[in-house]
Amino acid sequence: SQQGEEDPQALSIQEGENATMNCSYKTSINNLQWYRQNSGRGLVHLILIRSNEREKHSGRLRVTLDTSKKSSSLLITASRAADTASYFCATVLFSGGYNKLIFGAGTRLAVHP
Amino acid sequence: NAGVTQTPKFQVLKTGQSMTLQCAQDMNHNSMYWYRQDPGMGLRLIYYSASEGTTDKGEVPNGYNVSRLNKREFSLRLESAAPSQTSVYFCASKWGGPINSNQPQHFGDGTRLSIL
């Protein structure tokens, strides 16, 4: 079973609204990363939050991490049509002699003009 | 600055054929990775390479081989393609070794592979 699972699977909003995506995971982690994937393209790293951090900001992005609940959220404020993409959380855990990046199945975000 | 470049972008194979997917990065990264992405699932690690001359298995290595030709290039080979290997394949790289967890991975745009 997957380490990270995003919720919701799909989200449809209007430009200017906020978008919130959640990620839950199962085991202790070193850090958690969020990536964006535009249609037909590779993943692009958005933000990394360490296990001892609770909140991090980058431009219109806000990420929170609650290690007691094993969950993280990604908030995109004042969304734009260009934010339309799939968003993946990836947990980093040490297993088999290296730090694995374990991806969830992603949230598909559609932002309508 | 090209980043991570993958070739080809698309390929159709018949069952039993072989092919090599190419990946090159120009960021002087030590670690390189091959993933596959299937509908409704996250990326799954096939193989990774911590440095030139070293490779290790990931979660789903069966049916694949890899070569770390030099620091820049990391290729993935399907010796006898099967329909179950129809997927989108992504190469990634990052600074530092596989023990370093605080560096992001940089991805290519993928190779879309269909096996009939």
Side-chain angles (χ1 to χ4, degrees), chain A residues 31 35 37 40-42 98-99 104, chain B residues 42 48 98-99 101-102 105 109:
Chain A
N31 65 59
Y35 288 79
Q37 183 180 32
R41 303 298 300 274
Y98 68 101
N99 274 307
Chain B
Y48 71 98
I99 305 300
S101 66
N102 291 323
Q105 293 189 15
D109 282 338

Side-chain angles (χ1 to χ4, degrees), chain B residues 92-105:
Chain B
S93 69
K94 80 172 182 70
W95 187 88
I99 305 300
N100 181 316
S101 66
N102 291 323
Q103 295 294 326
Q105 293 189 15

Side-chain angles (χ1 to χ4, degrees), chain B residues 17-78:
Chain B
Q17 288 185 315
S18 62
M19 83 161 293
T20 300
L21 309 185
Q22 307 287 352
C23 174
Q25 52 91 10
D26 61 2
M27 296 172 283
N28 203 34
H29 286 168
N30 292 322
S31 299
M32 296 187 74
Y33 305 82
W34 275 105
Y35 293 90
R36 60 179 289 173
Q37 184 178 35
D38 299 296
M41 302 184 71
L43 276 71
R44 292 182 292 168
L45 183 65
I46 305 171
Y47 271 92
Y48 71 98
S49 170
S51 62
E52 181 181 350
T54 68
T55 61
D56 286 282
K57 295 178 180 179
E59 298 173 74
V60 289
N62 292 345
Y64 305 96
N65 286 302
V66 290
S67 295
R68 184 74 182 269
L69 305 171
N70 47 55
K71 192 170 186 179
R72 291 187 65 248
E73 299 172 288
F74 188 37
S75 62
L76 177 72
R77 182 162 178 83
L78 286 71

Side-chain angles (χ1 to χ4, degrees), chain A residues 16-65:
Chain A
E17 294 181 337
N18 294 342
T20 299
M21 287 158 270
N22 302 298
C23 171
S24 60
Y25 57 92
K26 296 174 182 168
T27 62
S28 296
I29 59 173
N30 292 329
N31 65 59
L32 186 145
Q33 303 177 24
W34 284 91
Y35 288 79
R36 183 188 74 231
Q37 183 180 32
N38 290 91
S39 180
R41 303 298 300 274
L43 279 71
V44 174
H45 180 261
L46 295 176
I47 200 163
L48 181 154
I49 186 165
R50 292 180 171 82
S51 58
N52 62 352
E53 296 176 313
R54 292 296 168 259
E55 188 171 311
K56 207 161 182 180
H57 296 256
S58 177
R60 294 183 295 111
L61 306 181
R62 172 177 170 254
V63 168
T64 62
L65 179 64

